[in-house]
Amino acid sequence: LPYDIVWDRFHCLSKTDIDPQLDYMEKSALLLSDVFKDSEQFVKGQYTAPYVCGKTKVFFRSGALKRLESDRSSIRSVNVSTLHNYAKTVVHRYRFRVMKRATVKLQAMWRLQKAQRDYKERMKAAVTIYYWMKHILARIKRKALRENDASIKIQSM
């Protein structure tokens, strides 16, 4: 694979910060040495890495590219699930806010109706008490007038 494709495709596997000023060849070499640090094999008296860096391309031994792809896909799946969870959180928070606003409006409307109903009941009770008091006061006045009228008649005889 060309160096730029190796870097673009597998830079997510790097555990260290690689200087962005370096060219693709140097970045890819650092990346691959970091990823395949413990994968060197002892063949014919020499340690061989699972890859070889050429002038324009990186050549992989059997299984090395498959390992890179599997590591990349596992990291990508973790990142995708993290992004998916974040997106779900944003959507659920928005829905929660909408439902909370609707709930608050419903509660306010319910309290208004209850307050209006209570007000009407209180006014009706107050009017009833007012009319009963008027009725009682009228009876008392009428009784007093009768007694006063009777006393006048008695005194005039």
Side-chain angles (χ1 to χ4, degrees), residues 79-89:
N79 291 344
V80 164
S81 66
T82 303
L83 284 173
H84 182 61
N85 288 339
Y86 178 74
K88 280 184 5 184
T89 301

Side-chain angles (χ1 to χ4, degrees), residues 52-71:
V52 175
C53 293
K55 287 186 178 184
T56 59
K57 292 183 180 180
V58 177
F59 299 95
F60 293 100
R61 299 195 193 282
S62 65
L65 190 58
K66 184 177 180 181
R67 178 182 165 204
L68 284 175
E69 288 293 343
S70 68
D71 290 350

Side-chain angles (χ1 to χ4, degrees), residues 116-130:
Q116 288 174 342
R117 188 173 54 241
D118 290 348
Y119 175 76
K120 286 179 183 176
E121 287 176 6
R122 286 185 184 140
M123 286 303 293
K124 190 175 181 181
V127 167
T128 305
I129 291 170
Y130 174 74

Side-chain angles (χ1 to χ4, degrees), residues 24-94:
Y24 285 120
M25 184 177 179
E26 293 168 339
K27 287 180 191 177
S28 298
L30 288 172
L31 170 72
L32 292 173
S33 65
D34 185 35
V35 171
F36 289 118
K37 188 178 343 185
D38 302 327
S39 299
E40 294 178 349
Q41 298 174 348
F42 189 74
V43 177
K44 296 180 184 177
Q46 293 183 352
Y47 284 104
T48 58
Y51 65 94
V52 175
C53 293
K55 287 186 178 184
T56 59
K57 292 183 180 180
V58 177
F59 299 95
F60 293 100
R61 299 195 193 282
S62 65
L65 190 58
K66 184 177 180 181
R67 178 182 165 204
L68 284 175
E69 288 293 343
S70 68
D71 290 350
R72 177 180 173 263
S73 68
S74 67
I75 287 176
R76 289 288 169 116
S77 67
V78 168
N79 291 344
V80 164
S81 66
T82 303
L83 284 173
H84 182 61
N85 288 339
Y86 178 74
K88 280 184 5 184
T89 301
V90 169
V91 168
H92 287 296
R93 280 184 183 163
Y94 175 76

